[in-house]
Amino acid sequence: DAGITQSPRHKVTETGTPVTLRCHQTENHRYMYWYRQDPGHGLRLIHYSYGVKDTDKGEVSDGYSVSRSKTEDFLLTLESATSSQTSVYFCAISESASNREPRFGPGTRLTVL
Amino acid sequence: SQQGEEDPQALSIQEGENATMNCSYKTSINNLQWYRQNSGRGLVHLILIRSNEREKHSGRLRVTLDTSKKSSSLLITASRAADTASYFCATDQIQGAQKLVFGQGTRLTINP
């Protein structure tokens, strides 16, 4: 889906280092989300945004922070990466109207050694 | 915590047979969605069913929703090898932000 991109697509880092993942959309959607997916599991919501500078926590927010300074970009930061944060991270976007499905980005595979 | 629990966790059938996957959830929902994920790939949205709907069709897919039992089922008819994937249900509890809560998924294998 070209309307939503994630960067980087793959990253290997060491424990204790900061990491920032970027989600970029060209759809001008209001809502943006960060999920993580661990092996054998569905996705779990980390944080989401309902507008520029408006964010809220999801189910598994500990150890993560987010920022949204522009409509099109939603950043996920791991201030000090830990091995438990090794996962695949998916960004999603959705419109204001409910009952419209969100669209997911291609994912970022993060490995923390 | 996982809102959706999927059953079975794994399903293996012959090509041409029908596949049924079930999803149960715990709290009231706004809608329920089904997704497919091929190994190592992103999510593909299949169907969204609203809380006031009971059944929905899309091609070879049929989804039912029983809000009194807090359960949903996904039926894939005339399965194909290309249907091999993991299937997830996800519930959306409130209007507005789509804060989806996913089940753990059913791994479907279609044998040729």
Side-chain angles (χ1 to χ4, degrees), chain A residues 78-108:
Chain A
L78 291 65
E79 299 290 347
S80 178
T82 67
S83 58
S84 65
Q85 293 175 312
T86 292
S87 189
V88 180
Y89 291 85
F90 288 96
C91 174
I93 61 174
S94 69
E95 299 177 273
S96 295
S98 61
N99 288 320
R100 294 289 301 273
E101 68 275 12
R103 291 161 57 190
F104 284 83
T108 293

Side-chain angles (χ1 to χ4, degrees), chain A residues 31 33 35 37 40-45 48 59 90 94 96 98-102 104, chain B residues 1 30-31 33 35 37 42-43 45 48 50 88 95-100 102-104:
Chain A
Y31 296 97
Y33 314 80
Y35 290 86
Q37 184 179 29
H41 292 275
L43 279 67
R44 291 181 293 171
L45 182 65
Y48 72 102
E59 180 187 354
F90 288 96
S94 69
S96 295
S98 61
N99 288 320
R100 294 289 301 273
E101 68 275 12
F104 284 83
Chain B
S1 63
N30 186 41
N31 64 60
Q33 304 176 31
Y35 289 83
Q37 185 179 39
L43 290 163
H45 184 266
L48 180 152
R50 301 172 184 169
F88 296 91
Q95 300 228 4
Q98 294 229 16
K99 297 164 57 180
L100 298 180
F102 283 79
Q104 293 188 334

Side-chain angles (χ1 to χ4, degrees), chain B residues 40-58:
Chain B
R41 306 293 295 274
L43 290 163
V44 175
H45 184 266
L46 297 176
I47 272 189
L48 180 152
I49 185 165
R50 301 172 184 169
S51 59
N52 62 353
E53 297 177 313
R54 292 296 167 259
E55 188 170 312
K56 220 168 175 181
H57 296 256
S58 177

